[in-house]
Amino acid sequence: MNADVSARLAWTSDASAIAQIQIAAWRQDYSDVLPSEVLLGLKAEQFAEQWEALLTKPQDARMRVLVALERATVRGFALLHPSQDPDADPVADSEVGEFVIDPLHRRAGHGSRLLQASIDTLQADKFTRALWWVAANDDILRGFVTASGWEPDGAHRELQSEAGTTLKQIRLHTSLS
């Protein structure tokens, strides 16, 4: 294991690396949900512009993007923000909106470091509870998250893609107090 690993707040210069990791992960993780032509048509430049805009001017003062690093190379990222769920308190309840580790660098400790940095950041922002929507069929991610102390809270939803496919999700939660 490499000793030169860390997690930090993302910089605007990380936008391109975040976009490349997001697309690589989507192509692997959503191949059974989205048509291959949609996945192959994803453009890193477009995603990078969106990430740069979010990093430059977040929609909320407590919206954060963190990156997991190996030396100076981004290996994963997390998007954290106040929860927008109708049954949540946006002052007290946060959400892990995105949590992505480069598919070629999973199971190397980046997720654990990034999750701990995410919890520390949410606590520093005075959130008392964290929520996380995960794909109902993603046993690996759900196992990782529940092993870290998160639990299902009974909420579930279905997201419909423009291509007409459905992604079923369950919501996990953890106390930050």
Side-chain angles (χ1 to χ4, degrees), residues 64-77:
R64 311 273 187 228
V65 179
L66 292 110
V67 290
L69 300 171
E70 182 175 349
R71 299 192 194 301
T73 304
V74 176
R75 297 297 189 205
F77 67 93

Side-chain angles (χ1 to χ4, degrees), residues 35-144:
S36 59
E37 59 272 9
V38 170
L39 293 170
L40 293 174
L42 298 174
K43 303 289 183 219
E45 301 80 23
Q46 182 181 7
F47 278 66
E49 286 175 14
Q50 293 170 349
W51 281 108
E52 188 170 336
L54 187 143
L55 290 166
T56 302
K57 189 172 181 181
Q59 301 166 353
D60 185 284
R62 295 185 302 163
M63 180 175 279
R64 311 273 187 228
V65 179
L66 292 110
V67 290
L69 300 171
E70 182 175 349
R71 299 192 194 301
T73 304
V74 176
R75 297 297 189 205
F77 67 93
L79 171 64
L80 313 170
H81 53 81
S83 177
Q84 300 168 355
D85 288 348
D87 63 341
D89 175 352
V91 173
D93 296 335
S94 61
E95 183 174 326
V96 177
E98 292 276 347
F99 191 91
V100 181
I101 303 300
D102 184 329
L104 297 176
H105 297 277
R106 291 180 179 166
R107 306 189 81 65
H110 301 298
S112 297
R113 271 185 301 287
L114 188 58
L115 181 56
Q116 187 57 56
S118 296
I119 296 296
D120 292 345
T121 299
L122 294 171
Q123 289 173 328
D125 281 342
K126 307 294 185 214
F127 288 108
T128 58
R129 185 172 73 137
L131 305 172
W132 191 341
W133 289 97
V134 299
N137 64 349
D138 191 341
D139 296 336
I140 294 172
L141 178 60
R142 193 174 61 252
F144 167 71

